[in-house]
Amino acid sequence: MKIKKALLSALLVMGCTSVFAQEQPKVENVFNPHWYVQAQIGGQYTLGEIGFGDLVSPNAQVGVGYNFSPVVGLRGSVNFWQSKAGITTAGKEYDWKWNYVAPHADVVLNLSNLFCGYNPNRIFNFSVLGGIGANIGFGNDEAADVKAAIPEANRSESLVYLWDGSKIRLGGRLGVAADFRLSDKVSVGLEVQANTLNDHYNSKKAGNADWYFNALAGVKINLGKTHTTRAVTSAAPVERVVERVVEKVVEKPVPAPAVKEETQAVAKKEEAIRRDIFFTISANKISAAEQVKVKEIADYMKRNPGSKVTITGYADKGTGNAAINKRISVKRAQAVADMLVNTYGISFSRIVTDSKGDTVQPYKGDKNRVSICVAE
């Protein structure tokens, strides 16, 4: 008998521990599409036939990007400064340099989020990128001087594609990038690119594309909020398991008065309430008139400590587009949740937020700029 009681007591403790663990709120991070700016500096190596060190030159890049999702983004950048080339003829090496500006459009894929899941607090993110652009070369006077310095007998085979003035050529790019997070707003990173152009870029005739490689280090600054944090509650009714264990340990029926008191308590319980918080067009700020409804929700939850509220944001389908309306509906639901927490002291674990964008229209006409709150 003692062994049986000890075993039941152990089960009771384990059940209570499970209940406690389930009551802890879970946190979910929701990605927000956002812009960023980027500045980088480094070096360039132009593929050639003389020593590596003789073909290294300075390089810089500035860019603006937009992350549509945790995985896919688009970046526009301007890469610029200097390229070098060299040739060996008649037993002598010659090298020259010129300047360029290269605007590019690149698609950026975050492989860390793709394979490991979205995590806005991840310290290291690895990405690949690729795109197309133009290279505007100018200041190629040194190449003309080199051609003039080459002995005339060898000159016909050297710098066949010599150009002057400014030249615009289409090019392609592939690269990889490693970013190290310092905060939600700022990260530092390294980027390596391979760029290809037609055979005329370095003035030499090689019968194949010309290549240059950039290695850059820089800083990236995110604009706006990159993610939203919300609590997700567990729906598992673990408490019932504990009640059954208690019944087995006590081994006696529940007294009639206790059932009567429980029935009376249920009878006195308030019914669930619903409040619709309306917003002006394209806005997520709660007006003074609508704040009264938020207070009514808060008062209800204070009178009923076991109650929870579900807040669902909507947007009017007649304005904006699906992506914009989705963001607005998220912000509208979050605005109500923030007021309940920050103004009225309601625990975040008692709040569930959701957003429907413009995919669901609860009202006819243009009354769908709303967050619908149901507390029970």
Side-chain angles (χ1 to χ4, degrees), residues 47-50 55 84-88 94-96 98 202 204:
L47 192 64
E49 59 190 78
I50 63 174
L55 296 176
K84 283 187 175 182
I87 193 172
T88 300
Y94 300 88
D95 64 79
W96 61 96
W98 65 99
N202 60 11
K204 299 187 302 178

Side-chain angles (χ1 to χ4, degrees), residues 25-34 69-70 113 116-123 181 184 225-233 326 330 334 348 353 355:
K26 296 180 181 179
V27 175
E28 180 183 36
N29 292 307
V30 180
F31 175 84
N32 292 338
H34 59 275
S69 72
N113 286 336
C116 303
Y118 174 59
N119 180 4
N121 301 315
R122 183 181 289 116
I123 299 298
R181 177 183 179 274
D184 284 346
K225 294 185 66 174
T226 62
H227 68 282
T228 303
T229 302
R230 67 184 184 187
V232 180
T233 57
K326 179 64 176 178
V330 169
Q334 193 63 42
F348 203 53
T353 61
S355 60

Side-chain angles (χ1 to χ4, degrees), residues 141-153:
D141 298 336
E142 289 188 11
D145 294 339
V146 167
K147 185 169 184 177
I150 294 174
E152 188 171 353

Side-chain angles (χ1 to χ4, degrees), residues 39-369:
Q40 300 163 290
I41 192 167
Q44 178 183 114
Y45 168 69
T46 309
L47 192 64
E49 59 190 78
I50 63 174
F52 178 85
D54 295 326
L55 296 176
V56 174
S57 56
N59 182 249
Q61 181 170 285
V62 293
V64 177
Y66 186 79
N67 288 326
F68 296 93
S69 72
V71 175
V72 181
L74 184 65
R75 182 185 70 177
S77 65
V78 179
N79 186 267
F80 61 93
W81 207 327
Q82 190 179 94
S83 290
K84 283 187 175 182
I87 193 172
T88 300
T89 184
K92 187 176 180 180
E93 287 188 357
Y94 300 88
D95 64 79
W96 61 96
K97 60 182 179 293
W98 65 99
N99 300 109
Y100 76 94
V101 174
H104 265 262
D106 298 313
V107 175
V108 183
L109 300 179
N110 187 316
L111 299 186
S112 297
N113 286 336
L114 176 63
F115 293 109
C116 303
Y118 174 59
N119 180 4
N121 301 315
R122 183 181 289 116
I123 299 298
F124 173 79
N125 281 280
F126 181 78
S127 303
V128 296
L129 58 95
I132 59 173
N135 182 293
I136 307 169
F138 58 94
N140 199 34
D141 298 336
E142 289 188 11
D145 294 339
V146 167
K147 185 169 184 177
I150 294 174
E152 188 171 353
N154 301 309
R155 195 174 298 170
S156 61
E157 299 297 327
S158 306
L159 281 73
V160 175
Y161 295 142
L162 178 65
W163 55 272
D164 60 4
S166 61
K167 297 293 182 181
I168 301 176
R169 300 176 177 88
L170 294 178
R173 169 188 292 171
L174 292 174
V176 295
D179 291 305
F180 299 86
R181 177 183 179 274
L182 301 181
S183 68
D184 284 346
K185 292 289 187 182
V186 182
S187 62
V188 295
L190 302 173
E191 183 174 328
V192 178
Q193 309 166 353
N195 299 267
T196 183
L197 300 162
N198 66 30
D199 192 23
H200 293 218
Y201 183 59
N202 60 11
S203 300
K204 299 187 302 178
K205 182 178 180 179
N208 53 266
D210 290 336
W211 291 81
Y212 61 85
F213 303 89
N214 297 329
L216 300 159
V219 61
K220 180 191 293 182
I221 300 176
N222 294 317
L223 307 178
K225 294 185 66 174
T226 62
H227 68 282
T228 303
T229 302
R230 67 184 184 187
V232 180
T233 57
S234 174
V238 184
E239 292 84 352
R240 295 179 182 175
V241 176
V242 177
E243 290 175 359
R244 290 170 186 164
V245 173
V246 171
E247 290 173 0
K248 290 182 179 179
V249 173
V250 174
E251 295 182 349
K252 64 180 181 179
V254 179
V259 174
K260 183 177 180 180
E261 291 176 2
E262 182 179 351
T263 304
Q264 291 175 348
V266 171
K268 293 180 180 179
K269 183 179 178 181
E270 288 189 62
E271 294 183 358
I273 67 168
R274 165 176 165 161
R275 294 293 183 267
D276 296 354
I277 316 300
F278 291 96
F279 296 83
T280 58
I281 188 169
S282 300
N284 59 293
K285 184 177 180 181
I286 305 174
S287 66
E290 299 300 307
Q291 290 178 14
V292 174
K293 300 177 182 178
V294 180
K295 183 177 184 302
E296 291 174 352
I297 293 289
D299 291 342
Y300 173 90
M301 297 184 75
K302 289 179 180 179
R303 292 193 303 270
N304 300 273
S307 63
K308 296 183 180 181
V309 63
T310 300
I311 306 170
T312 307
Y314 298 86
D316 181 16
K317 195 170 185 178
T319 58
N321 57 47
I324 293 173
N325 290 337
K326 179 64 176 178
R327 292 197 298 272
I328 291 176
S329 67
V330 169
K331 292 179 179 179
R332 286 171 177 167
Q334 193 63 42
V336 178
D338 290 342
M339 177 167 285
L340 288 172
V341 173
N342 300 327
T343 303
Y344 299 108
I346 302 301
S347 172
F348 203 53
S349 64
R350 300 173 63 191
I351 301 172
V352 177
T353 61
D354 193 9
S355 60
K356 302 298 184 182
D358 59 16
T359 60
V360 176
Q361 301 286 277
Y363 290 98
K364 294 183 179 179
D366 60 351
K367 293 180 62 179
N368 294 296
R369 301 183 294 272

